[in-house]
Amino acid sequence: MSAEQANIKILEVKTIEKKVNRARPYAYSFRVSAQEKELIDGKVKTSGLNRTDYLIRALSDKPIVSITSGNEILAELKRQGNNLNQAVKNNYFGDITERELLSVVDDCKRVYRKLSSAIGCD
């Protein structure tokens, strides 16, 4: 085996195809240095994604967004959802005006715009 053939052999990516009913039936295996491993593991951990999802997003140029205040955002979305449900219920029974209902809808839109902006979906 020549040196060129050995280099080609090293660069080949091992693929495994199993007859399994999976959304992702192919497995890739490749080697990295200790420094590259630390880099990948750090970025995966920061992203909050699993390694597979992180690498697929990175390779397909999809945004990788890390939201550190996710619990606060989720709590606010729940509050806004509750407000909207109560407003719709009260409007149905005639307890609030259409204007008050539209105000609640505007508040929900404002929160969704902020969330979209925070995750880079402007």
Side-chain angles (χ1 to χ4, degrees):
M1 179 183 312
S2 71
E4 185 179 16
Q5 288 174 329
N7 285 339
I8 291 172
K9 187 115 178 133
I10 290 170
L11 295 176
E12 288 179 11
V13 175
K14 178 182 169 187
T15 61
I16 302 170
E17 183 176 356
K18 294 182 180 180
K19 293 185 178 184
V20 180
N21 190 15
R22 294 183 181 185
R24 294 180 175 143
Y26 302 101
Y28 279 89
S29 174
F30 57 95
R31 297 195 177 275
V32 295
S33 69
Q35 185 179 12
E36 293 165 333
K37 180 184 182 313
E38 286 179 29
L39 177 66
I40 293 169
D41 290 346
K43 289 187 178 255
V44 168
K45 185 176 181 180
T46 302
S47 75
L49 300 170
N50 63 42
R51 188 179 307 129
T52 298
D53 289 339
Y54 177 84
L55 291 173
I56 288 172
R57 282 183 168 273
L59 292 170
S60 59
D61 294 325
K62 291 184 179 174
I64 299 169
V65 178
S66 175
I67 300 175
T68 56
S69 60
N71 289 337
E72 294 171 25
I73 292 171
L74 181 60
E76 181 62 26
L77 286 173
K78 285 182 180 180
R79 279 193 291 276
Q80 293 300 324
N82 287 339
N83 290 346
L84 181 58
N85 285 338
Q86 289 172 1
V88 168
K89 179 180 170 185
N90 290 337
N91 185 51
Y92 179 75
F93 291 115
D95 294 339
I96 66 169
T97 65
E98 185 176 337
R99 183 180 210 179
E100 291 169 316
L101 177 61
L102 291 175
S103 173
V104 173
V105 170
D106 287 340
D107 288 344
C108 288
K109 287 180 181 179
R110 179 185 48 79
V111 171
Y112 291 132
R113 278 193 298 274
K114 283 185 178 181
L115 177 61
S116 293
S117 176
I119 61 174
C121 296
D122 291 334

